[in-house]
Each structure stands twice: as structure tokens, then as C-alpha cells.
Amino acid sequence: DDFLSTNRTPIPIKEVGAGLGGGRIVVRTARKVPFYKLGNDALVDTSDLCAIFGCSARSVYRWVTDYSLHPVGKIGREFLFTKGEIVRWFNTARPVSGRPPNG
């Protein structure tokens, strides 16, 4: 499937920096790059995944819980993923939007 290898969703470049009081913050640059051009170590956050897959943040949180999508970290309320992890996860466990089935 070429969905991710040709995906042109513009993703802001992100870096983790030092915040006030010694904490960490995510710094987004004004520069945006299409998803397919990002390096495997590039950081992608929840809002980026929502834009790529056309889903809600709630779906992303469910994928983290149910489908083995592994964030590389969490800063504040924000999950961070690498492009490589997203591609690995997508190729092994296709995302499903919407409500989970009643069990």
C-alpha cells in the first residue's frame, strides 16, 4: 500500500527543547514537510496523525491502547511518535476509525 509512502500531509518540523523549570517542551517550527519526505526519526504528534488519517484524537489514543502504536514519549498531554514507528504500525495493524465494536 502506497498510502504513507506518498502521503503529502504537511507536518511541522518538531524538536524537543528545555522548558521553564527544567521541564521539556515540543517546539514546532514554521517549516512544514510532506509526511513522505520526513526522516524515520522525525517526530509526529497526535494532531499530525489526525490530519494524516482523517480521524479524531480519541481514535489515536485508542490505537495507542489497543493496536500497539508505541509513542516515543509524552510531553505534557502530547504523545510523540517517530515516522518509522507510524509506518511499522500501519503496515502491521491497519488503523480503524470510529467506535470500537461492543463486546
Side-chain angles (χ1 to χ4, degrees):
D1 191 352
D2 290 334
F3 176 72
L4 291 180
S5 64
T6 61
N7 190 288
R8 296 183 181 275
T9 303
I11 306 296
I13 301 297
K14 295 169 200 66
E15 296 177 0
V16 176
L20 296 174
R24 298 182 335 167
I25 60 170
V26 177
V27 178
R28 296 170 191 227
T29 66
R31 185 172 151 232
K32 294 183 178 182
V33 176
F35 181 81
Y36 78 95
K37 286 189 175 184
L38 291 173
N40 279 340
D41 292 334
L43 296 175
V44 178
D45 64 20
T46 304
S47 63
D48 297 330
L49 287 179
C50 292
I52 292 166
F53 294 111
C55 66
S56 69
R58 188 176 184 132
S59 291
V60 174
Y61 301 143
R62 187 168 26 86
W63 298 338
V64 169
T65 303
D66 298 343
Y67 295 109
S68 300
L69 177 58
H70 302 289
V72 293
K74 185 176 181 185
I75 297 178
R77 297 181 183 182
E78 192 65 56
F79 282 113
L80 294 174
F81 309 90
T82 61
K83 176 189 174 185
E85 169 59 17
I86 293 165
V87 171
R88 181 211 59 81
W89 167 77
F90 183 81
N91 289 332
T92 59
R94 298 272 183 213
V96 178
S97 296
R99 294 177 179 251
N102 291 333

